[in-house]
Amino acid sequence: MEKKMIISGKIEETRNQIKEWKRQGLSVGLVPTMGYLHEGHRSLMEAARRENDKVAVSIFVNPIQFGPGEDFASYPRDLDKDAALCESIGVDLVFHPEASEMYDEGFCTYVDMDGLTKELCGRSRPTHFRGVQTVVSKLFHIIPADRAYFGQKDAQQLAVVRRMVRDMSMDIEIVGCPIIREQDGLAKSSRNTYLNDEERQAALVLSRSLAEGRKLVEAGERDTAAIKKCIAEVIGQEKLARIDYVEIVDFSDITPIDSLQDAKEGEALCAIAVYIGKTRLIDNFIFHVS
Ligand code: PAF
């Protein structure tokens, strides 16, 4: 008999289903998303499918991680298409709550962090990570999975979630998955749909600038100021692009470093955020220091 994918908007129903799978001794992988799924999400779901008995995907455009004036209202949504993709990959459960189910009246408890969230995206989006940590923490309580899958494209988010899990002694393994790109190099993102044709072309400057930075690193450059300058210069040549930040930080704690050699756990994150017209895009690479 063909198994049917469960779609639930209710916390209790979802939790009971996960409990039942756990009672049967089955492992569960969780892929948290905001929907409008693309190939990047597909790679997370496929990894979860390979590594777990059951796969749960959450689809929730989380209002509290958007700041005033950001794109919460216009964020793209298409549940039917998302559900069809999940089903084709063999997802077992889609959790798709209303905002009122996640944040009922009087909601006032947040998960926050002192370090890691202040640099990079935290500078222009000061309340963003508090919203991410709070919803991810709630999702981990509703769906107490064995593993949760996050993309490296949101590298700071990945570092923040890893730190939260460590600090709060949460019993879940965080699996980071590589960035998935369009054929021409643009990192996959639900926000790419905001770009018109001219902007879509201009957006290639993100991956192109990082490729130039990486070349410099591969040629032996370790001084982060020199690498950032090279990346910023490439971005500066694109008239539709405006830099929010070009930064190189220690991936373990998201603190700026002067030399790639300073990365304490051997991973330096080179991350950029660039406005193409009104759309803010991010991209990065991680350099493993030997
Ligand atoms: O990366 C995202 O899509 C979101 O930030 C997440 C992790 C699903 C939390 O809302």
Side-chain angles (χ1 to χ4, degrees):
M1 200 179 68
E2 217 173 275
K3 67 171 187 166
K4 191 140 174 46
M5 184 175 79
I6 301 161
I7 302 186
S8 173
K10 296 292 168 207
I11 292 174
E12 199 181 334
E13 183 185 30
T14 300
R15 182 177 276 146
N16 286 341
Q17 182 58 68
I18 306 293
K19 270 192 195 154
E20 175 54 25
W21 285 336
K22 291 268 146 193
R23 201 190 54 76
Q24 292 170 22
L26 301 172
S27 64
V28 177
L30 168 65
V31 183
T33 82
M34 297 207 300
Y36 216 70
L37 305 176
H38 50 67
E39 293 300 304
H41 298 111
R42 175 197 282 277
S43 76
L44 304 181
M45 295 192 279
E46 286 176 346
R49 183 64 290 162
R50 281 194 301 276
E51 295 169 10
N52 301 277
D53 299 316
K54 297 287 179 187
V55 177
V57 172
S58 63
I59 297 180
F60 178 58
V61 185
N62 175 34
I64 67 165
Q65 71 186 70
F66 292 80
E70 289 187 356
D71 56 342
F72 172 66
S74 57
Y75 196 85
R77 294 157 167 89
D78 190 341
L79 182 62
D80 290 344
K81 196 158 160 256
D82 288 349
L85 178 65
C86 290
E87 194 145 38
S88 73
I89 293 168
V91 167
D92 300 283
L93 183 147
V94 171
F95 177 54
H96 176 60
E98 293 291 334
S100 56
E101 178 75 3
M102 292 294 271
Y103 305 115
D104 63 0
E105 234 183 287
F107 180 90
C108 58
T109 305
Y110 295 87
V111 181
D112 213 345
M113 192 175 275
D114 283 338
L116 279 88
T117 59
K118 307 298 174 223
E119 296 291 335
L120 309 182
C121 293
R123 277 201 231 127
S124 54
R125 307 186 74 193
T127 57
H128 171 67
F129 288 108
R130 180 174 98 139
V132 170
Q133 287 158 224
T134 303
V135 80
V136 168
S137 169
K138 276 178 74 78
L139 289 169
F140 288 176
H141 282 98
I142 297 162
I143 303 175
D146 298 84
R147 296 175 197 86
Y149 296 78
F150 293 84
Q152 189 206 299
K153 178 167 152 285
D154 294 295
Q156 187 175 14
Q157 170 172 282
L158 176 58
V160 164
V161 170
R162 281 199 170 126
R163 186 75 237 182
M164 176 183 78
V165 164
R166 194 159 145 190
D167 289 355
M168 293 291 108
S169 309
M170 292 173 170
D171 188 16
I172 187 163
E173 181 190 341
I174 303 303
V175 183
C177 298
I179 299 177
I180 304 296
R181 297 182 179 279
E182 304 283 355
Q183 277 201 340
D184 58 11
L186 181 66
K188 300 260 185 185
S189 163
S190 307
R191 289 193 168 98
N192 291 348
T193 53
Y194 298 154
L195 303 169
N196 64 29
D197 290 350
E198 199 191 352
E199 290 169 341
R200 171 67 183 74
Q201 202 51 36
L204 293 177
V205 77
L206 279 90
S207 53
R208 200 165 61 239
S209 66
L210 288 175
E212 288 304 315
R214 195 191 266 277
K215 259 193 226 159
L216 210 56
V217 174
E218 277 159 13
E221 184 61 80
R222 295 293 177 264
D223 176 32
T224 58
I227 303 161
K228 288 193 287 185
K229 182 165 175 279
C230 159
I231 294 170
E233 275 172 6
V234 176
I235 301 171
Q237 287 159 19
E238 173 49 67
K239 66 177 182 355
L240 291 185
R242 183 167 58 83
I243 293 175
D244 179 11
Y245 65 75
V246 173
E247 267 305 342
I248 301 183
V249 296
D250 184 328
F251 189 38
S252 69
D253 61 7
I254 314 289
T255 52
I257 46 178
D258 294 332
S259 163
L260 296 181
Q261 302 298 139
D262 295 341
K264 289 178 285 296
E265 293 177 17
E267 287 184 318
L269 168 68
C270 177
I272 62 178
V274 178
Y275 286 94
I276 302 292
K278 287 202 174 98
T279 306
R280 185 176 172 281
L281 300 175
I282 57 173
D283 201 348
N284 69 77
F285 69 83
I286 292 172
F287 181 68
H288 297 265
V289 189
S290 49

